[in-house]
């Protein structure tokens, strides 16, 4: 039996949600931003919210305002987001209605919520993955309930999102690792204007049958008592058994899809009447009367809800707008690594190490010093240690719970770091080749890059994403690509690109300590210095405490003062393999060439770039990427604008020729890529000016 107080609380909040929907509809000129409401979904949403403790996590989706009311947020707080006001407690006026995030001691945690359908499932499953690790290691980050209850995670989603491939990736990982996550699927039979019959051959319940180990139940989500009893049982089950569960709740859709896509655009009168017959508010009201609750008491609740909503809506409408000066806040949170520290030359030996070992040693030291650090990705585990042996021996030293393989799931590998970071872990993950990062772009763009900005700094994603990159030795079209321009188009990521072992170790340490997401682009042709002319990529190993701040470039070759004064010098701005092409070409122009190794592509050391260009007046921007529409071209444009008065010649750019992929044949590969001879020719043209 459900206590009458719970039933009355549910009815009060249902009435509140209904009044909010009516108020928004009646004030469409005020409620000008697109929004959805929970009408029809109130029963299952409140039933779920009522089960949660502050130690838990929940990821609502864009129709889940009743979940938020059930968690204890006020209509006023939700309305501030609806109207994009400065006081919006979630995103400061930056995000749609019912796109919350929350970090506090009094309510369950809520990571940044995107609008992309189904995309929240991977980050939320990552929360459960992180909680499982905290349980296993007994780290202090693990929060428990007042009676020692272990946390659970609820991921709320619509049934139409089940067709997304990334949902499958999350389900696979959840059942493989037996994670404490509940997938609450609210099925209203519509995906905007697409009916269930048009879009899929099975519903979420039937779909879950294909994932052995996924407990599942199908319920009437418009019946509050059934929903409450089911969610209470399921939450208790997952709290104790620590295994995934799917709840499919059939619900009516009693509002528009959104305020901008209105029901009359696509729904028939017959469909509307069918949904109205299962209005959860009317069903609960009738049930309360049957249980002996006086109608006068229900009327009073309805009137109080209406008055509360009206009052709080007026307050929200009059609340101040955001200060335009804050629009650039919270792209990143501050990093503790701002200056180069430690001994770059090392202290124990003069022996030089290769870049791949520098990365390995850096991660080993990180994991020794930070129990919250974990490493995962394809083939990085015990048997192989990475296809380049860049993780060799780490699983043996730290165990399979800290260094482990994943399936071929780039989206999950990348997106799960959002949830892991949210519970205080610091994941280091690997994408096997740069060409394979594209399946993870949904998560990079939609979740990771926007999390800090749209949560006003509450949920920066602290992760290092390692990406072997570049061409050499006939790697072919799908193992040789360069992707930095594409990554740099994603605002909210930092991109490092070391060219030698010392920089690799220092940047890896800085990337790990940075509370923001960092992509480490690691040229596989430099890993072992097997490419002729790349011996300088080997250096002595820096000391354990060595860190190299992101955004600090380096002059790796200086021109002579004499040639500079005579106007007979030029500079090359480059990174990665370009450093070695430039060094080889510079031997033909003794004292005339200065080479800047950017080391980090974002943030970029613009001060060093501009001062170097102004010093020489002639500049070549050198990249391994295709030249056209590239980062290098964009940088050349910025140099041209900023250094216009100092330039003695147009800024030269050299990159790979304009082709869709790097050919397998090594002769064709070399014809496509820059090389020292091509760089020499470009420098010769510059020095003629």
């Amino acid at each position: 039996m459900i206590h009458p107080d719970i039933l009355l609380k549910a009815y009060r909040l249902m009435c509140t949600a209904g009044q909010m929907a009516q108020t928004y509809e009646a004030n469409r000129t005020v409620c000008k931003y697109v929004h959805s409401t929970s009408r029809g979904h109130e029963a299952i949403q409140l039933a779920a919210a009522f089960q949660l403790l502050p130690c838990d996590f929940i990821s609502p989706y864009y129709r889940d305002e009743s979940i938020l009311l059930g968690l204890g947020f006020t209509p006023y707080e939700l309305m501030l987001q609806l109207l994009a006001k400065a006081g919006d407690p979630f995103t400061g006026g930056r995000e749609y209605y019912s796109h919350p995030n929350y970090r506090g001691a009094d309510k369950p945690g809520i990571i940044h919520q995107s609008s992309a359908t189904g995309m929240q499932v991977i980050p939320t499953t990552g929360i459960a993955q992180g909680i499982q690790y905290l349980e296993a290691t007994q780290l202090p980050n693990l929060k428990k309930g007042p009676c020692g209850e272990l946390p659970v995670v609820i991921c709320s989603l619509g049934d139409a999102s089940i067709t997304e491939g990334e949902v499958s990736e999350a389900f696979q990982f959840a059942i493989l690792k037996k994670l404490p996550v509940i997938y609450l699927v609210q099925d209203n039979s519509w995906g905007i204007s697409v009916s269930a019959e048009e879009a899929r051959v099975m519903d979420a319940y039937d779909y879950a049958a294909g994932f052995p180990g996924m407990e599942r139940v199908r319920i009437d989500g418009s019946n509050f008592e059934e929903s409450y009893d089911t969610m209470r049982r399921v939450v208790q089950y997952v709290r104790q058994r620590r295994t995934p569960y799917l709840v499919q709740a059939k619900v009516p859709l009693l509002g528009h899809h959104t305020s901008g896509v209105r029901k009359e655009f696509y729904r028939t009168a017959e469909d509307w009447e069918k949904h109205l017959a299962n209005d959860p508010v009317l069903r609960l009201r009738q049930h309360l009367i049957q249980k002996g609750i006086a109608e006068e008491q229900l009327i009073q609740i309805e009137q109080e809800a209406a008055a509360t909503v009206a009052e709080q809506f007026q307050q929200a409408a009059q609340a101040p707008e955001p200060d335009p000066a804050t629009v650039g806040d919270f792209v990143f949170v501050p990093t503790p690594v701002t200056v180069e520290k430690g001994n770059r030359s090392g202290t124990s030996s003069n022996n030089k190490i290769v870049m791949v070992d520098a990365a390995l040693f850096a991660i080993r030291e990180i994991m020794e010093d930070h129990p919250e650090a974990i490493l995962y990705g394809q083939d990085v585990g015990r048997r192989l240690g990475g296809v380049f042996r860049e993780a060799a021996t780490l699983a043996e030293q730290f165990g399979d719970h800290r260094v482990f393989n994943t399936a071929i799931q780039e989206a999950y590998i990348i997106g799960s770091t959002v949830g892991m970071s949210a519970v205080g872990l610091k994941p280091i993950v690997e994408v096997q080749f740069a060409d394979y990062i594209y399946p993870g772009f949904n998560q990079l763009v939609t979740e990771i890059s926007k999390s800090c900005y749209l949560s006003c700094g509450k949920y920066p994603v602290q992760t290092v994403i390692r990406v072997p990159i570049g061409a050499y030795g006939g790697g072919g079209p799908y193992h040789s690509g360069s992707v930095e321009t594409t990554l740099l188009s994603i605002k909210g990521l930092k991109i490092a690109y070391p060219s030698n072992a010392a920089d690799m170790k220092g940047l890896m340490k800085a990337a790990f300590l940075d509370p923001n997401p960092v992509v480490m682009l690691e040229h596989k042709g430099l890993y072992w210095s097997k490419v002729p002319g790349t011996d300088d990529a080997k250096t002595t190993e820096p000391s354990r405490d060595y860190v190299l701040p992101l955004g600090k470039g380096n002059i790796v070759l200086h021109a002579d003062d004499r040639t500079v004064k005579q106007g007979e010098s030029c500079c090359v701005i480059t990174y990665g393999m370009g450093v070695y092409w430039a060094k080889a070409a510079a031997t033909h122009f003794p004292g005339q060439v200065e080479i800047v190794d950017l080391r980090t592509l974002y943030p970029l050391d613009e001060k060093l770039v501009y001062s170097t260009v102004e010093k020489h007046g002639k500049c070549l921007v050198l990249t391994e990427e295709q030249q056209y529409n590239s980062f290098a071209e964009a940088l050349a444009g910025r140099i041209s604008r900023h250094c216009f008065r100092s330039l003695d010649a147009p800024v030269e750019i050299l990159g790979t020729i304009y082709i869709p992929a790097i050919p397998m044949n090594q002769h064709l590969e070399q014809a496509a890529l820059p090389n020292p001879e091509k760089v020499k020719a470009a420098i010769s043209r510059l020095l003629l000016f």
Side-chain angles (χ1 to χ4, degrees), residues 356-370:
V356 73
D357 284 345
L360 173 65
F361 299 161
I363 293 175
R364 177 182 295 154
E365 291 171 0
I366 286 168
M367 297 189 77
E368 288 171 347
D369 296 341
H370 299 274

Side-chain angles (χ1 to χ4, degrees), residues 243-549:
T243 189
Y245 216 117
L246 182 139
V247 178
Q248 187 203 13
K250 189 67 178 175
V251 292
L253 178 60
L254 299 183
H256 308 290
H257 169 70
T258 67
S259 57
V261 182
R262 305 181 67 76
K263 63 180 185 291
E264 55 268 22
F265 294 172
Y266 62 95
R267 297 179 68 179
T268 65
E270 180 183 8
D271 174 75
W272 182 245
E273 291 299 324
K274 178 182 176 182
H275 282 248
L276 279 174
N278 288 306
D279 187 336
V281 182
L282 298 180
R283 292 184 69 176
L284 181 56
R285 192 180 199 279
Q286 184 179 10
H287 179 71
L288 287 168
I289 291 174
Q290 290 173 350
K291 292 183 75 70
I293 303 297
E295 186 164 10
E296 290 77 8
Q297 185 177 355
L298 299 180
I299 292 172
Q300 182 180 356
I301 288 173
E302 294 159 6
Q303 291 173 342
E304 290 172 352
T308 297
V309 168
E311 179 184 3
Q312 295 191 16
F313 182 76
Q314 289 302 315
Q315 293 173 352
Q318 295 167 10
E321 301 288 340
D323 181 354
T326 66
V327 69
D329 293 351
F330 303 114
V331 176
F332 298 110
V333 291
T335 175
V337 181
T338 57
V339 296
E340 188 172 3
K341 292 182 180 179
N343 189 334
R344 181 179 175 88
S345 301
T347 55
S348 60
S349 171
N350 290 323
N351 294 330
K352 292 185 176 183
I353 62 171
V354 293
M355 278 183 64
V356 73
D357 284 345
L360 173 65
F361 299 161
I363 293 175
R364 177 182 295 154
E365 291 171 0
I366 286 168
M367 297 189 77
E368 288 171 347
D369 296 341
H370 299 274
E372 71 275 21
I374 61 172
L375 171 67
Y376 57 98
Q378 296 170 37
D379 297 304
V380 303
R382 184 182 298 270
R383 285 184 293 277
L384 186 60
V387 294
F388 298 101
R389 304 293 288 155
E390 71 279 6
T393 73
L394 291 178
E396 284 84 352
Q397 180 174 352
F398 298 106
D400 295 332
H401 66 300
R402 292 189 70 188
V403 182
F404 56 89
N405 293 325
T406 67
I408 303 172
Q409 296 181 326
E410 287 84 4
Y412 188 86
I413 292 167
I414 290 172
S416 59
T417 64
V418 177
M420 301 284 271
S421 176
V423 298
L425 300 181
K426 298 179 181 179
I428 304 168
V429 298
E430 182 178 308
V431 174
Q432 220 165 54
F433 292 92
D435 306 82
Y436 299 158
I437 198 171
Y438 295 104
F441 258 63
N442 268 346
Q443 294 296 320
L444 275 173
V445 175
T446 304
E447 307 298 335
I448 289 179
S449 70
K450 294 179 173 62
S451 183
C452 184
Y453 184 69
L454 293 180
S455 69
C456 292
K458 294 191 288 295
Y459 283 104
V461 180
Q462 183 162 15
T463 184
V464 179
I465 302 171
R466 300 185 62 191
V467 184
I469 192 170
Y472 86 103
Y478 296 100
H479 299 80
S480 306
S482 292
V483 297
E484 54 264 37
T485 294
T486 311
L487 287 168
L488 287 162
S489 71
I490 306 171
K491 279 65 69 177
L493 301 179
K494 296 185 179 183
I495 314 292
Y497 203 141
S499 68
N500 60 67
D503 288 351
M504 172 72 86
K505 187 172 184 182
L507 288 171
M508 188 72 76
K509 292 287 186 80
F512 177 80
L513 295 172
D514 199 307
N516 304 287
V518 182
V519 179
M520 289 286 295
L521 298 178
E522 306 172 16
H523 199 293
K524 59 186 190 291
L526 299 177
Y527 265 157
W528 302 94
S529 289
K530 290 182 178 180
V531 177
T534 60
D535 282 348
D536 286 352
K538 294 184 283 188
T539 69
T540 56
E541 183 186 358
S543 62
R544 188 184 191 94
D545 62 344
Y546 179 65
V547 290
L548 177 60

